[in-house]
Amino acid sequence: MTGTELQLLGCAKTFAGDTKALLPTDLVVKPGEILGLLGPSGCGKTTMLRIMAGLETPDSGGKILFDDEDVTKVPIEHRSIGMVFQSYALFPNMSVQQNVGYGLKVRGISGSERDDRVNEVMSFCRLDGLADRAINQLSGGQRQRVALARAVAPRPRVLLLDEPLSALDAALRDTLRDELAVILRGLSMTAVFVTHDQSEAMAIADTIAVMRAGRIEQRAAPEVLYRDPQTDFVASFVGGANRLSGRFENGQLHLEGGTLKTGIEGQQPDHIFIRQEDIRITNPDGASLRGKVIGRVYLGTHTKLTISGVCEAPLMVTLQGADAPKIGDLVGLDIPANSLIHF
Ligand code: ATP
């Protein structure tokens, strides 16, 4: 892998009024790794990104390293950072080509070297044929690709993206998300991006740091986070797993809607969860666990059911296809013991 290793050592950020936006955090992003910072609003994602960029200074004691170089006191313009913002922040009076070449121009790179680099990065970001276009003649997706091309043209050591897709409408966001995943991977550049959208994080990132209240709760590859969450917050935030809370006795969980064989030996775990797609709907007659369908949303590839009467909170179930029970139906629920997430 090429690229720079990025390290935060004991980085915290306290704003005026004693707002602890970021608690002391250690983090290593390997060369060429794409890290997603995922979490709800106000959890400190942007603050962490801004500290990496040099737009915010960490509290005293915190250190930022790019490879072996301590950049904590190095201002943003000398850190060799590429930044992509939600709002594009393109120069409206310049063409696409001029925007993409801007960072090279201010670094004194001119002539054919600049042209070659601009053409290369424009082609990589699928902007061929748009070189002379004005910014206001581009779609939102094209603008964001120009912003990306402009950020990567000077070959920064680290690329930072702050909610890069959130200004786009839903359909465009899905397309650009997949494109961005391909483009970023092809760049082999150390990259960190902020998002509150878990599908975006999962599609783009090599590893995801799930943040809550100023700290990283878990950092892992998307499939590990999904299948092996280490905290109840991660289990419910990533993929919306259902919490099963009831009385646990001899490996059985007694819920409002019946009994579940958990296969768990020994003591009651603190948390038991089940993923929405791991629940099967069965005939209610003779089922050991039952509930009533109170919500049904057909989404083409799958149907989302809300089922009450099983446990405290309504149970969310995702079924493939359209052949799902109707609102008001009584249903049996099969929850395989080996699909339970417990810790
Ligand atoms: P969002 O997804 O809404 O952007 P976030 O996870 O990026 O949220 P931050 O912007 O990092 O969160 O903010 C973390 C906390 O720090 C919040 O409570 C926020 O109000 C506070 N905060 C951020 N910037 C400042 C500032 N300049 N002055 C005071 N408090 C701030």
Side-chain angles (χ1 to χ4, degrees):
M1 269 291 180
T2 54
T4 300
E5 181 178 82
L6 164 66
Q7 271 197 77
L8 298 190
L9 296 172
C11 279
K13 183 70 193 176
T14 312
F15 286 111
D18 208 28
T19 305
K20 300 211 179 306
L22 188 67
L23 298 171
T25 298
D26 294 325
L27 179 75
V28 179
V29 191
K30 295 201 296 281
E33 181 177 351
I34 304 170
L35 170 72
L37 301 177
L38 174 68
S41 184
C43 69
K45 314 179 285 291
T46 306
T47 301
M48 176 144 29
L49 196 83
R50 288 172 60 84
I51 287 176
M52 291 169 176
L55 289 165
E56 213 72 79
T57 323
D59 294 350
S60 74
K63 261 192 189 177
I64 305 130
L65 302 184
F66 283 7
D67 291 329
D68 293 332
E69 187 193 347
D70 185 342
V71 297
T72 317
K73 294 201 166 65
V74 177
I76 180 166
E77 63 273 22
H78 298 305
R79 269 193 202 186
S80 183
I81 287 285
M83 279 211 83
V84 179
F85 299 95
Q86 172 182 338
S87 56
Y88 322 126
L90 296 170
F91 305 117
N93 52 336
M94 292 184 194
S95 68
V96 167
Q97 189 171 30
Q98 287 165 334
N99 263 279
V100 175
Y102 179 79
L104 300 172
K105 192 175 166 193
V106 296
R107 282 167 184 77
I109 300 169
S110 57
S112 60
E113 189 186 353
R114 184 163 87 212
D115 292 346
D116 290 349
R117 293 255 294 263
V118 167
N119 288 336
E120 183 194 24
V121 74
M122 288 211 350
S123 154
F124 202 79
C125 294
R126 295 193 38 242
L127 293 165
D128 296 297
L130 297 175
D132 298 323
R133 279 275 181 95
I135 297 304
N136 63 7
Q137 292 166 351
L138 299 175
S139 70
Q142 288 168 335
R143 283 177 206 210
Q144 200 50 301
R145 290 205 302 272
V146 175
L148 179 65
R150 188 182 59 176
V152 300
R155 298 186 185 144
R157 290 199 281 180
V158 175
L159 178 65
L160 303 173
L161 306 102
D162 190 1
E163 302 259 9
L165 304 177
S166 60
L168 306 172
D169 65 54
L172 196 54
R173 199 159 53 219
D174 284 358
T175 317
L176 194 62
R177 179 191 67 199
D178 299 345
E179 280 180 3
L180 196 59
V182 174
I183 295 173
L184 287 183
R185 201 132 287 125
L187 285 169
S188 293
M189 197 176 269
T190 309
V192 180
F193 71 99
V194 161
T195 181
H196 57 263
D197 180 325
Q198 59 136 323
S199 61
E200 206 170 292
M202 292 192 136
I204 299 175
D206 295 316
T207 61
I208 300 173
V210 181
M211 295 187 64
R212 180 197 196 190
R215 56 183 289 272
I216 297 173
E217 287 238 340
Q218 188 175 354
R219 194 270 186 92
E223 53 277 19
V224 175
L225 273 186
Y226 194 78
R227 280 288 147 206
D228 191 16
Q230 298 295 309
T231 71
D232 57 339
F233 173 74
V234 174
S236 22
F237 191 75
V238 180
N242 295 285
R243 174 193 291 280
L244 298 174
S245 43
R247 186 169 53 85
F248 184 84
E249 207 171 37
N250 298 330
Q252 295 210 331
L253 191 61
H254 299 277
L255 301 163
E256 201 180 314
T259 305
L260 177 66
K261 284 198 184 100
T262 65
I264 301 167
E265 291 172 7
Q267 281 204 328
Q268 174 169 12
D270 290 335
H271 309 281
I272 304 181
F273 284 92
I274 184 74
R275 295 257 170 232
Q276 301 182 14
E277 67 277 19
D278 290 337
I279 302 173
R280 283 178 225 133
I281 298 294
T282 62
N283 192 320
D285 299 333
S288 58
L289 199 58
R290 287 192 287 185
K292 188 176 172 185
V293 180
I294 58 165
R296 183 184 195 273
V297 181
Y298 173 62
L299 291 165
T301 53
H302 61 279
T303 304
K304 270 183 174 283
L305 298 179
T306 310
I307 298 178
S308 71
V310 185
C311 49
E312 260 172 45
L315 202 70
M316 306 302 294
V317 179
T318 304
L319 294 181
Q320 294 300 313
D323 190 19
K326 307 279 179 291
I327 289 178
D329 284 357
L330 195 63
V331 291
L333 299 151
D334 177 17
I335 298 185
N338 59 7
S339 297
L340 292 172
I341 299 167
H342 54 91
F343 45 89

PDB file of all heavy atoms in Angstrom, residues 31 42 94 133 160 178 211 238-239 255 288 335:
ATOM      1  N   PRO A  31      -1.413   3.354   5.949  1.00  0.00           N
ATOM      2  CA  PRO A  31      -1.217   3.936   4.607  1.00  0.00           C
ATOM      3  C   PRO A  31      -2.208   3.339   3.604  1.00  0.00           C
ATOM      4  O   PRO A  31      -2.349   2.117   3.521  1.00  0.00           O
ATOM      5  CB  PRO A  31       0.222   3.526   4.254  1.00  0.00           C
ATOM      6  CG  PRO A  31       0.896   3.318   5.561  1.00  0.00           C
ATOM      7  CD  PRO A  31      -0.160   2.812   6.496  1.00  0.00           C
ATOM      8  N   GLY A  42     -23.524  15.324  16.478  1.00  0.00           N
ATOM      9  CA  GLY A  42     -22.944  15.837  17.714  1.00  0.00           C
ATOM     10  C   GLY A  42     -21.987  14.894  18.420  1.00  0.00           C
ATOM     11  O   GLY A  42     -21.511  15.203  19.510  1.00  0.00           O
ATOM     12  N   MET A  94     -14.543  29.798 -12.196  1.00  0.00           N
ATOM     13  CA  MET A  94     -13.534  29.034 -12.944  1.00  0.00           C
ATOM     14  C   MET A  94     -14.187  27.834 -13.612  1.00  0.00           C
ATOM     15  O   MET A  94     -15.166  27.295 -13.109  1.00  0.00           O
ATOM     16  CB  MET A  94     -12.461  28.499 -11.989  1.00  0.00           C
ATOM     17  CG  MET A  94     -11.590  29.545 -11.365  1.00  0.00           C
ATOM     18  SD  MET A  94     -10.343  28.661 -10.393  1.00  0.00           S
ATOM     19  CE  MET A  94      -9.702  29.990  -9.423  1.00  0.00           C
ATOM     20  N   ARG A 133     -16.415  23.260 -19.056  1.00  0.00           N
ATOM     21  CA  ARG A 133     -17.731  23.616 -18.495  1.00  0.00           C
ATOM     22  C   ARG A 133     -17.615  24.575 -17.320  1.00  0.00           C
ATOM     23  O   ARG A 133     -16.678  24.485 -16.526  1.00  0.00           O
ATOM     24  CB  ARG A 133     -18.413  22.365 -17.930  1.00  0.00           C
ATOM     25  CG  ARG A 133     -19.096  21.496 -18.895  1.00  0.00           C
ATOM     26  CD  ARG A 133     -20.511  21.940 -19.199  1.00  0.00           C
ATOM     27  NE  ARG A 133     -21.053  20.972 -20.137  1.00  0.00           N
ATOM     28  CZ  ARG A 133     -21.779  19.927 -19.751  1.00  0.00           C
ATOM     29  NH1 ARG A 133     -22.102  19.773 -18.501  1.00  0.00           N
ATOM     30  NH2 ARG A 133     -22.210  19.072 -20.636  1.00  0.00           N
ATOM     31  N   LEU A 160      -9.307  14.092   3.249  1.00  0.00           N
ATOM     32  CA  LEU A 160     -10.349  14.161   4.281  1.00  0.00           C
ATOM     33  C   LEU A 160     -11.654  14.597   3.638  1.00  0.00           C
ATOM     34  O   LEU A 160     -11.695  15.580   2.894  1.00  0.00           O
ATOM     35  CB  LEU A 160      -9.933  15.161   5.367  1.00  0.00           C
ATOM     36  CG  LEU A 160      -8.597  14.872   6.057  1.00  0.00           C
ATOM     37  CD1 LEU A 160      -8.210  16.017   6.987  1.00  0.00           C
ATOM     38  CD2 LEU A 160      -8.656  13.559   6.826  1.00  0.00           C
ATOM     39  N   ASP A 178     -21.363   4.585  -4.713  1.00  0.00           N
ATOM     40  CA  ASP A 178     -20.673   3.439  -5.304  1.00  0.00           C
ATOM     41  C   ASP A 178     -19.471   3.894  -6.140  1.00  0.00           C
ATOM     42  O   ASP A 178     -18.426   3.268  -6.139  1.00  0.00           O
ATOM     43  CB  ASP A 178     -21.655   2.609  -6.147  1.00  0.00           C
ATOM     44  CG  ASP A 178     -22.792   2.070  -5.276  1.00  0.00           C
ATOM     45  OD1 ASP A 178     -22.635   2.110  -4.036  1.00  0.00           O
ATOM     46  OD2 ASP A 178     -23.815   1.623  -5.808  1.00  0.00           O
ATOM     47  N   MET A 211     -18.717   6.279  16.421  1.00  0.00           N
ATOM     48  CA  MET A 211     -18.502   7.233  17.506  1.00  0.00           C
ATOM     49  C   MET A 211     -19.797   7.554  18.234  1.00  0.00           C
ATOM     50  O   MET A 211     -20.870   7.549  17.650  1.00  0.00           O
ATOM     51  CB  MET A 211     -17.923   8.535  16.948  1.00  0.00           C
ATOM     52  CG  MET A 211     -16.530   8.339  16.366  1.00  0.00           C
ATOM     53  SD  MET A 211     -15.792   9.898  15.895  1.00  0.00           S
ATOM     54  CE  MET A 211     -15.652  10.728  17.477  1.00  0.00           C
ATOM     55  N   VAL A 238     -25.737   0.359  14.005  1.00  0.00           N
ATOM     56  CA  VAL A 238     -25.321  -0.221  12.729  1.00  0.00           C
ATOM     57  C   VAL A 238     -26.278  -1.352  12.366  1.00  0.00           C
ATOM     58  O   VAL A 238     -26.224  -2.429  12.935  1.00  0.00           O
ATOM     59  CB  VAL A 238     -23.859  -0.735  12.802  1.00  0.00           C
ATOM     60  CG1 VAL A 238     -23.430  -1.347  11.485  1.00  0.00           C
ATOM     61  CG2 VAL A 238     -22.920   0.386  13.206  1.00  0.00           C
ATOM     62  N   GLY A 239     -27.188  -1.091  11.468  1.00  0.00           N
ATOM     63  CA  GLY A 239     -28.093  -2.135  10.994  1.00  0.00           C
ATOM     64  C   GLY A 239     -29.378  -2.270  11.793  1.00  0.00           C
ATOM     65  O   GLY A 239     -30.243  -3.066  11.447  1.00  0.00           O
ATOM     66  N   LEU A 255     -40.038 -13.951  26.963  1.00  0.00           N
ATOM     67  CA  LEU A 255     -40.450 -12.642  26.437  1.00  0.00           C
ATOM     68  C   LEU A 255     -41.964 -12.525  26.525  1.00  0.00           C
ATOM     69  O   LEU A 255     -42.670 -13.521  26.746  1.00  0.00           O
ATOM     70  CB  LEU A 255     -40.007 -12.505  24.970  1.00  0.00           C
ATOM     71  CG  LEU A 255     -38.503 -12.618  24.702  1.00  0.00           C
ATOM     72  CD1 LEU A 255     -38.241 -12.878  23.229  1.00  0.00           C
ATOM     73  CD2 LEU A 255     -37.800 -11.340  25.154  1.00  0.00           C
ATOM     74  N   SER A 288     -43.640 -21.036  19.402  1.00  0.00           N
ATOM     75  CA  SER A 288     -43.277 -20.721  20.792  1.00  0.00           C
ATOM     76  C   SER A 288     -43.143 -19.216  21.014  1.00  0.00           C
ATOM     77  O   SER A 288     -43.075 -18.747  22.135  1.00  0.00           O
ATOM     78  CB  SER A 288     -41.991 -21.441  21.189  1.00  0.00           C
ATOM     79  OG  SER A 288     -40.969 -21.064  20.302  1.00  0.00           O
ATOM     80  N   ILE A 335     -36.648 -17.495  15.682  1.00  0.00           N
ATOM     81  CA  ILE A 335     -35.389 -16.765  15.870  1.00  0.00           C
ATOM     82  C   ILE A 335     -34.295 -17.797  16.135  1.00  0.00           C
ATOM     83  O   ILE A 335     -34.217 -18.354  17.223  1.00  0.00           O
ATOM     84  CB  ILE A 335     -35.511 -15.764  17.044  1.00  0.00           C
ATOM     85  CG1 ILE A 335     -36.590 -14.726  16.708  1.00  0.00           C
ATOM     86  CG2 ILE A 335     -34.170 -15.116  17.347  1.00  0.00           C
ATOM     87  CD1 ILE A 335     -36.746 -13.611  17.718  1.00  0.00           C
TER      88      ILE A 335
END
